[in-house]
Amino acid sequence: MEIQVRKNILGENDRMAAENRAMFADNGVYVINLMGSPGSGKTSVLEKTMEKLKGELRMAVIEGDLFTSKDADRIAKHDVPVIQINTSGGCHLDAAMVQKVARKMDLAALDLLIVENVGNLVCPAEFDVGEDDKGVVLSVTEGDDKPLKYPLIFKESAVAILNKVDILPYCNFDMESAREDISALHPGMTILETSCTTGQGIEPWCEWLRQRVEEKQNR
Amino acid sequence: MCKECGCGEMNGNARLHFTAKGYTETNVKEVEKSLLGLPGVFHVHIHVHDGETTVEYSPAKTKLMDILGALGKHDIEASL
Amino acid sequence: MHEMAIAEGILNIALDYAEKNRAKKIQEIGLLLGEMSGVETDALEFSFHMIAKGTMASEAELAIRKVPLQGKCNKCGKEFHIGHYDFRCPECKDGVLTLLSGREMQVEYLEVD
């Protein structure tokens, strides 16, 4: 007996994310979806990354914000191709938004594509945009209780960047406790401590990226 | 999951609320850690003195059996 | 790697429809897969058969109908097959191809007992 089904296998966002994934894989680009609160330092970390990896890896950035192109402008100063997505109120980037922009890029000419998501510790974690890895930036001014309060984003990410460590002496941030909580939520997750002011931790972060790019290209 | 703005999975998470025997001041932290380390578990709260346990998790990512299994490994007996 | 998520989606739909129709065993699952999804059929079949063990679909064959990625230029109106996800028109300088087909990802039918 034949049963007519005609049902889509994946939800709309997952389907488009699968398409993005295939598109990136076909072009050998490693993609990281970088998330974090507004003001955690995502763009600053990216600026430091551009400085260090320029000339070594061919990079591009997709910026996500509700309004303005302020972040894209900052990245553009480093001579790295960047496209700004404005969600006009949307709290996260989704696969359709990323696809629309990625289709306009010369992906074959890239090693590394960084998607800087909208500042938000909640919603972006729910939406696959076709990335290889998710990453979360948490700054020490935000409180060491945040990992347990926002478990999903830490469980979903391959790397946690604990940022602004140069002002740790002035914050109530218990680094050991935060690391313990993050490890409890996501055993084995890579945790890096960084400061964009002093440059601490930027090299280990870039080394992590280099390795992921190499792994992707060898697949 | 995003109840604020309505985005994400609507039918997402489950909440388990039960009493369990076997918690001690020494093992409770380890048990919490074991549960929290399961991919779909978002929140764990244990009252050592009366064994009252709350686990919030995504059944799509972690099965009830896995949660019971993790408890079992620490010799915790749950009455569900 | 994402073939596993797709295999799970297929299995859930197949078992759901089979149960609703009181079927005993699923013999064949008809799939429509557009080229855009980049699904590797070998990996998909492997993943599917692994997770279907012990279910009504344990011996089901996946009958896959592939749909090529076709686009139409918004400037010259010509139709082309899109290779390597390059959506630029091969003929016009700044023409962009809009998709005609190749995005399908669905379970079309089930053959059951």
Side-chain angles (χ1 to χ4, degrees):
Chain A
M1 175 175 87
E2 188 183 287
I3 306 171
Q4 281 290 312
V5 178
R6 295 198 192 286
K7 192 167 163 86
N8 286 331
I9 296 168
L10 297 176
E12 186 63 12
N13 189 72
D14 284 338
R15 187 182 59 78
M16 296 205 85
E19 291 174 356
N20 293 352
R21 192 161 277 118
M23 178 165 64
F24 297 138
D26 195 69
N27 286 283
V29 195
Y30 170 78
V31 183
I32 181 161
N33 181 357
L34 199 62
M35 310 175 287
S37 303
S40 57
K42 296 182 292 301
T43 313
S44 298
V45 166
L46 289 189
E47 286 185 290
K48 287 292 174 197
T49 310
M50 306 289 115
E51 271 171 35
K52 209 159 251 268
L53 294 176
K54 190 128 148 244
E56 204 190 307
L57 292 179
R58 302 169 301 168
M59 304 176 280
V61 176
I62 294 177
E63 279 288 342
D65 280 298
L66 273 69
F67 298 101
T68 83
S69 64
K70 286 172 187 271
D71 285 353
D73 294 340
R74 285 167 65 180
I75 301 291
K77 287 206 178 87
H78 295 265
D79 261 323
V80 169
V82 54
I83 301 186
Q84 178 81 53
I85 299 176
N86 284 131
T87 65
S88 300
C91 50
H92 62 272
L93 291 180
D94 62 29
M97 293 170 187
V98 170
Q99 191 179 107
K100 192 167 165 190
V101 158
R103 283 212 228 166
K104 296 188 192 148
M105 299 174 114
D106 186 1
L107 296 173
L110 293 180
D111 298 312
L112 168 64
L113 175 63
I114 304 177
V115 177
E116 188 191 323
N117 218 309
V118 176
N120 181 346
L121 279 182
V122 185
C123 319
E126 300 271 1
F127 295 90
D128 185 0
V129 300
E131 72 272 354
D132 288 288
D133 289 311
K134 288 185 166 82
V136 56
V137 179
L138 178 75
S139 65
V140 301
T141 54
E142 293 170 60
D144 52 43
D145 56 348
K146 297 304 174 291
L148 289 181
K149 286 189 179 183
Y150 298 91
L152 185 63
I153 201 166
F154 287 90
K155 280 177 177 289
E156 290 282 311
S157 298
V159 59
I161 298 174
L162 301 178
N163 194 32
K164 305 190 186 176
V165 293
D166 55 298
I167 55 174
L168 205 45
Y170 306 99
C171 304
N172 261 347
F173 192 91
D174 183 340
M175 182 59 82
E176 207 183 301
S177 169
R179 281 182 159 260
E180 229 180 82
D181 289 343
I182 294 172
S183 298
L185 286 168
H186 191 156
M189 180 182 193
T190 303
I191 305 172
L192 302 170
E193 292 176 29
T194 59
S195 161
C196 296
T197 316
T198 64
Q200 179 187 338
I202 299 297
E203 176 54 36
W205 156 240
C206 289
E207 185 53 32
W208 188 89
L209 282 175
R210 283 190 198 104
Q211 283 178 11
R212 300 309 256 223
V213 169
E214 203 185 310
E215 276 166 29
K216 178 82 188 256
Q217 289 177 341
N218 291 340
R219 258 184 252 156
Chain B
M1 193 166 149
C2 183
K3 295 176 188 153
E4 298 301 306
C5 58
C7 52
E9 292 290 316
M10 293 306 283
N11 57 340
N13 302 336
R15 175 189 267 202
L16 280 181
H17 194 84
F18 58 92
T19 349
K21 290 203 193 114
Y23 295 125
T24 65
E25 296 287 350
T26 31
N27 74 9
V28 69
K29 261 216 163 295
E30 286 304 309
V31 180
E32 268 183 12
K33 240 177 149 176
S34 289
L35 291 174
L36 207 52
L38 297 172
V41 174
F42 301 121
H43 181 77
V44 178
H45 191 70
I46 301 174
H47 285 203
V48 188
H49 59 275
D50 63 4
E52 192 187 315
T53 312
T54 309
V55 179
E56 293 203 44
Y57 73 106
S58 163
K61 295 190 182 149
T62 292
K63 305 288 164 226
L64 182 59
M65 295 302 297
D66 299 321
I67 295 174
L68 295 176
L71 289 170
K73 279 207 183 93
H74 293 273
D75 291 320
I76 306 292
E77 229 180 275
S79 336
L80 279 164
Chain C
M1 235 166 74
H2 66 273
E3 278 79 7
M4 185 51 96
I6 297 172
E8 283 175 3
I10 295 169
L11 185 62
N12 288 338
I13 293 170
L15 292 179
D16 186 43
Y17 275 71
E19 270 170 41
K20 284 203 182 108
N21 285 269
R22 282 191 275 249
K24 297 267 172 2
K25 198 168 174 63
I26 304 173
Q27 298 292 1
E28 189 176 281
I29 303 175
L31 301 175
L32 198 58
L33 290 182
E35 213 184 326
M36 180 113 178
S37 62
V39 176
E40 292 218 5
T41 37
D42 289 342
L44 179 63
E45 287 184 9
F46 181 79
S47 301
F48 181 80
H49 291 305
M50 202 165 75
I51 57 173
K53 282 193 189 138
T55 72
M56 238 198 283
S58 58
E59 276 157 57
E61 289 253 350
L62 295 184
I64 300 174
R65 194 152 71 91
K66 290 191 185 167
V67 185
L69 195 51
Q70 287 285 116
K72 182 172 170 159
C73 178
N74 63 357
K75 288 236 149 75
C76 65
K78 290 210 190 125
E79 292 179 18
F80 302 94
H81 174 249
I82 297 171
H84 292 293
Y85 300 90
D86 190 344
F87 295 89
R88 295 169 294 186
C89 179
E91 286 196 13
C92 303
K93 214 170 58 134
D94 47 0
V96 169
L97 302 176
T98 47
L99 285 178
L100 294 173
S101 70
R103 311 193 76 170
E104 302 76 2
M105 202 198 276
Q106 58 170 240
V107 175
E108 269 196 300
Y109 65 85
L110 300 179
E111 269 293 340
V112 303
D113 291 333

